[in-house]
Amino acid sequence: MIRRPPRSTLFPYTTLFRSRGGKCCKFQAIIIGGDIDILLNKHINSLIIIILFLLSSVFGAMGDVIHSIPAPGFYSNGLAWDGENLWVANIADAAHPQDYWYRIFKVSPETGDIITSFSTNNYYYHGLTHDGTNLWGERIYTQIVKLTDEGQVIDNFPAVPLGVGLAFDKENNILYQATTQPGSIIIFDPENGNQLGILYPPEATENGWNDLAFDGTYLWHTNVATELIYKIDPADGSIITEFVAPAYQCEGLTFDGQYLWVSDTSQDMIYQVDIEFDPCGGWQSGDSNLDGMINILDVIELVNYVISGTNAGDCQLTTMDVNGDGNYDILDMVALVAIILG
């Protein structure tokens, strides 16, 4: 006969599980009896305040500035991310004649230090994006240009005026271009410049549109007239959410795989901004092999990982923790089978 411990005692026990670190080990836990109920009831308000404070200090909210660096020049209004570094398009202005005119910089995202740069000669650029190999830029509101990282022009085709922003969908090989007056997002085939479609996000104004970014699922767009940054569904142009930009003249925008980067042309600063991005948000809990279906193959994948520690990516680990306790064990298998059986 199995007896439960008295409510006022501490009862250690062990169980077998696989941790997020991938090691199979013994875990010792403590079950605390009824005395804890009295403590919680007595101090519940204090505990809630402490927990909320700790959560707010660890997890950022949408729109929070995570980090900032100085812009490499005056009026830096186009941003791109190549996987490691930022690219910044700079116009300068007559009030700062000592500064670079019409130049694109590659800068460190940690310090803002200039790694390299090249002149764009007589052309000023607004939107920038990077396809993983080459830069793309929108220049003089009317042209889209493909460039090497050294600034050599590879190709160009007409933009829809007034072109002010670019974003690249690498998986589907799609180039997005933002226009202002009127505000819209044009969808291009980057191989030939053919227009594939157009989006009209329902913003409050058709003025003030600027750069774009793409996070792998959604478009992001900054508008200086509304001083907002918008999250946009590329399927129909609908606005999913919005938040206040970190400054009132934010024109450049790009995505680094986790955060947005926003350039402010009034303060000559570049901000890294939290958007509460979840790279695994598209996968269902229990889809262990990430094939878009939940069935016996997912059970096999989970069992193999628990028993032998087979290689698994971050998103797989997220989906295999079916019961959400941070471990991988028989409890996840039971929960997964329950999902399959309905």
Side-chain angles (χ1 to χ4, degrees), residues 47-57:
L47 287 171
I48 290 173
I49 292 172
I50 292 171
I51 290 169
L52 290 175
F53 173 78
L54 291 174
L55 288 174
S56 66
S57 64

Side-chain angles (χ1 to χ4, degrees), residues 120-135:
T120 57
N121 301 311
N122 295 325
Y123 297 105
Y124 57 86
Y125 281 67
H126 283 82
L128 285 182
T129 191
H130 204 285
D131 64 13
T133 303
N134 296 294
L135 275 170

Side-chain angles (χ1 to χ4, degrees), residues 108-152:
S108 164
E110 287 81 23
T111 64
D113 290 344
I114 297 172
I115 299 171
T116 187
S117 70
F118 58 84
S119 171
T120 57
N121 301 311
N122 295 325
Y123 297 105
Y124 57 86
Y125 281 67
H126 283 82
L128 285 182
T129 191
H130 204 285
D131 64 13
T133 303
N134 296 294
L135 275 170
W136 293 79
E138 180 284 314
R139 68 184 186 188
I140 58 173
Y141 297 113
T142 59
Q143 296 178 348
I144 295 175
V145 183
K146 182 179 182 180
L147 303 160
T148 68
D149 286 356
E150 292 74 36
Q152 296 177 335

Side-chain angles (χ1 to χ4, degrees), residues 56-177:
S56 66
S57 64
V58 174
F59 301 103
M62 183 173 291
D64 284 355
V65 174
I66 305 299
H67 175 57
S68 63
I69 57 175
F74 296 100
Y75 213 90
S76 298
N77 68 341
L79 293 178
W81 177 260
D82 66 8
E84 295 183 0
N85 297 293
L86 285 166
W87 292 84
V88 187
N90 180 61
I91 293 180
D93 57 60
H96 303 95
Q98 78 280 8
D99 191 57
Y100 292 109
W101 283 75
Y102 304 162
R103 201 165 190 87
I104 292 177
F105 300 86
K106 181 181 180 180
V107 303
S108 164
E110 287 81 23
T111 64
D113 290 344
I114 297 172
I115 299 171
T116 187
S117 70
F118 58 84
S119 171
T120 57
N121 301 311
N122 295 325
Y123 297 105
Y124 57 86
Y125 281 67
H126 283 82
L128 285 182
T129 191
H130 204 285
D131 64 13
T133 303
N134 296 294
L135 275 170
W136 293 79
E138 180 284 314
R139 68 184 186 188
I140 58 173
Y141 297 113
T142 59
Q143 296 178 348
I144 295 175
V145 183
K146 182 179 182 180
L147 303 160
T148 68
D149 286 356
E150 292 74 36
Q152 296 177 335
V153 175
I154 300 172
D155 194 11
N156 71 88
F157 53 83
V160 174
L162 298 165
V164 289
L166 292 176
F168 206 99
D169 177 354
K170 299 175 187 177
E171 182 176 349
N172 297 301
N173 197 35
I174 290 174
L175 181 67
Y176 294 97
Q177 179 224 317

